[in-house]
Amino acid sequence: MFVALVIVTGLLALIAVNSAVMKLRKNEQVVTTIHGTVGVPMTALPVLAGLEIAGAVGIVAGLWNAPLGIAAAAGLTAYFVGAVIGHLRVGDTKGVAMPLAPLALSIAVLVLRIVTA
């Protein structure tokens, strides 16, 4: 079970850091989707990136410190639930698919971290 946690944690951490880097670099597609479609202010992009990086660091460190891993996985789950809600709020059914995969991984990390604690 712990091996599954390590694999899913690594995958989610890579996705979260990649997403954060795209926001910090103001990738055109990210800006178009998050700012243009969903309506998130540009000033919020570094904050969102920071949350993703903190979550990624937290879940990786949480492999050695279960309470930290649980908290970080819960935070990432809340983050991606918010992303899904943001897309649905504006009727962006196409764009809602993007946060669904990391949301599922966040839930998986949370559950696995709880059961292996």
Side-chain angles (χ1 to χ4, degrees), residues 36-82:
T37 304
V38 180
V40 174
M42 289 295 291
T43 55
L45 291 183
V47 174
L48 295 176
L51 292 170
E52 289 177 310
I53 292 168
V57 169
I59 59 172
V60 171
L63 293 171
W64 292 273
N65 182 326
L68 176 61
I70 292 168
L76 283 172
T77 299
Y79 176 90
F80 289 114
V81 164

Side-chain angles (χ1 to χ4, degrees), residues 3-67:
V3 172
L5 172 63
V6 171
I7 292 168
V8 177
T9 295
L11 182 58
L12 178 58
L14 287 173
I15 289 171
V17 168
N18 181 60
S19 177
V21 168
M22 301 268 282
K23 287 176 182 70
L24 292 172
R25 289 187 175 169
K26 294 186 174 98
N27 175 276
E28 184 180 334
Q29 182 182 359
V30 170
V31 169
T32 299
T33 302
I34 296 175
H35 176 66
T37 304
V38 180
V40 174
M42 289 295 291
T43 55
L45 291 183
V47 174
L48 295 176
L51 292 170
E52 289 177 310
I53 292 168
V57 169
I59 59 172
V60 171
L63 293 171
W64 292 273
N65 182 326

